[in-house]
Amino acid sequence: MKTVLLLAGGSSNEREVSLRSGDTVEKALVQAGHKVLRIDPANTDLDINNYSKNVDVAFIALHGAGGEDGTIQQQLHTASIPFTTSCIEASRLCWNKWTYKQFLIKHDFPVSRGILVTEEDLRGLEFSRPFVLKPIEGGSTIDVVIAREPTEDNLILARKYLKKYSQMLLEEVIEGPEVTVVIMGETALPVVEIIPPPNQEFDYTNKYNGASQEIVPPLNITKNLQIKVQDLALRIHKLAGCAGMSRTDIIIDKSGHPYILETNTIPGLSEQSLLPKATAAAGLNMEQVVSMLI
């Protein structure tokens, strides 16, 4: 039995997702026989150092800023508390989508064409073609615009978000099935195919309302291609310095070429999330997963 410091909640715009992950993890830790001390870093009076002598390990179930960007990892490292996620440097690398894309390009991984844009660029040629606009930092598809047919409504939404973030990542749209690959330890788990509702996107709403399908094994991906994307995800996990777990999202074009979208160092852990679906397909229940991580 371990005494586990469970961190969930936080003050990012992914707080609600983190709380749901925390609920799932807490239940699994208790069922696995561990003692849990759950805290919410949104509490401004919280001092991590106060727990350094009372816990064996910290389980980070924080998503978004403060959780995935290396901040909490730095605090735990300073307090000499071991933690379940990737190190400070790997967390920072994967958190910033632009830095991560440059990392992938440097190491010859396949990525979609992308540039950084501001509100001043809205009238440019890039916005007259299908595009994806996303915050440079953040997850859960929050404030993402997917414009398969650029319209005035999409430009209005893009302008709104560019006022909020000042600079965002603009990428080309790649048509084809989307899959995700979870790495546990140094093992690539079964590939999960993501199928959004007809004529809709895999956005924040459809991620958590049960409208999207997460299929294991994939319906539209050959066995050889599944092996290929598993290999890509595992190579990225190792090269980026990830540890414990990661989840890499990949889209495959109509010719069967995969393109890396992003790698999450703290993927969602709630019942609606993709990681539990992959671990279940690998024959692992959540008690086994959390115990492996700690």
Side-chain angles (χ1 to χ4, degrees), residues 147-162:
R148 299 186 187 276
E149 296 181 4
T151 64
E152 186 61 30
D153 287 344
N154 285 325
L155 290 178
I156 291 172
L157 197 56
R159 183 171 291 107
K160 171 187 174 182
Y161 292 150
L162 281 165

Side-chain angles (χ1 to χ4, degrees), residues 179 190-193 215-222 226:
V179 299
V191 179
V192 181
E193 182 179 0
I215 308 298
V216 190
L219 293 176
N220 302 298
I221 312 297
T222 65
Q226 291 176 50

Side-chain angles (χ1 to χ4, degrees), residues 189-233:
L189 301 189
V191 179
V192 181
E193 182 179 0
I194 301 163
I195 303 177
N199 301 315
Q200 296 185 47
E201 306 294 346
F202 189 57
D203 55 18
Y204 181 85
T205 300
N206 288 327
K207 276 187 176 183
Y208 300 109
N209 66 3
S212 296
Q213 298 180 66
E214 291 90 28
I215 308 298
V216 190
L219 293 176
N220 302 298
I221 312 297
T222 65
K223 183 63 177 177
N224 285 340
L225 195 49
Q226 291 176 50
I227 294 171
K228 184 174 183 178
V229 296
Q230 285 176 312
D231 177 67
L232 283 171

Side-chain angles (χ1 to χ4, degrees), residues 5-253:
L5 182 67
L6 172 59
L7 299 107
S11 55
S12 79
N13 58 3
E14 297 180 63
R15 173 178 173 81
E16 294 304 317
V17 180
S18 176
L19 290 171
R20 289 199 290 268
S21 287
D23 291 342
T24 299
V25 171
E26 182 175 15
K27 179 181 177 182
L29 285 169
V30 171
Q31 290 178 336
H34 303 290
K35 179 181 178 181
V36 180
L37 294 176
R38 180 170 176 170
I39 60 174
D40 187 342
N43 181 354
T44 56
D45 296 328
L46 182 67
D47 186 350
I48 294 294
N49 291 287
N50 292 336
Y51 298 90
S52 60
K53 296 180 180 180
N54 302 322
V55 300
D56 297 306
V57 62
F59 194 112
I60 306 175
L62 293 168
H63 308 306
E68 295 181 75
D69 58 4
T71 300
I72 196 68
Q73 291 83 355
Q74 179 67 69
Q75 293 175 20
L76 290 165
H77 175 75
T78 301
S80 299
I81 300 175
F83 51 88
T84 56
T85 65
S86 297
C87 67
I88 301 164
E89 292 77 14
S91 299
R92 288 173 178 166
L93 170 65
C94 296
W95 170 246
N96 185 290
K97 292 181 176 61
W98 180 250
T99 303
Y100 175 75
K101 182 181 281 287
Q102 302 315 303
F103 164 81
L104 293 178
I105 292 171
K106 177 182 177 181
H107 293 284
D108 296 321
F109 287 100
V111 298
S112 61
R113 188 171 60 90
I115 58 174
L116 293 177
V117 295
T118 67
E119 187 181 5
E120 295 178 357
D121 300 313
L122 272 175
R123 298 183 183 276
L125 180 63
E126 301 293 341
F127 285 92
S128 66
R129 298 188 287 239
F131 67 85
V132 179
L133 183 70
K134 61 181 71 170
I136 299 169
E137 298 178 337
S140 293
T141 327
I142 294 173
D143 294 347
V144 172
V145 181
I146 303 174
R148 299 186 187 276
E149 296 181 4
T151 64
E152 186 61 30
D153 287 344
N154 285 325
L155 290 178
I156 291 172
L157 197 56
R159 183 171 291 107
K160 171 187 174 182
Y161 292 150
L162 281 165
K163 286 183 182 295
K164 178 178 179 180
Y165 293 100
S166 75
Q167 191 177 51
M168 299 179 73
L169 176 59
L170 181 74
E171 296 178 313
E172 63 180 327
V173 170
I174 296 175
E175 299 287 355
E178 182 176 349
V179 299
T180 194
V181 181
V182 170
I183 306 298
M184 286 288 296
E186 293 192 354
T187 301
L189 301 189
V191 179
V192 181
E193 182 179 0
I194 301 163
I195 303 177
N199 301 315
Q200 296 185 47
E201 306 294 346
F202 189 57
D203 55 18
Y204 181 85
T205 300
N206 288 327
K207 276 187 176 183
Y208 300 109
N209 66 3
S212 296
Q213 298 180 66
E214 291 90 28
I215 308 298
V216 190
L219 293 176
N220 302 298
I221 312 297
T222 65
K223 183 63 177 177
N224 285 340
L225 195 49
Q226 291 176 50
I227 294 171
K228 184 174 183 178
V229 296
Q230 285 176 312
D231 177 67
L232 283 171
L234 184 56
R235 284 167 53 204
I236 291 170
H237 179 91
K238 292 180 178 180
L239 195 60
C242 297
M245 63 177 171
S246 72
R247 199 196 79 223
T248 295
D249 300 332
I250 301 169
I251 195 161
I252 299 163
D253 71 12

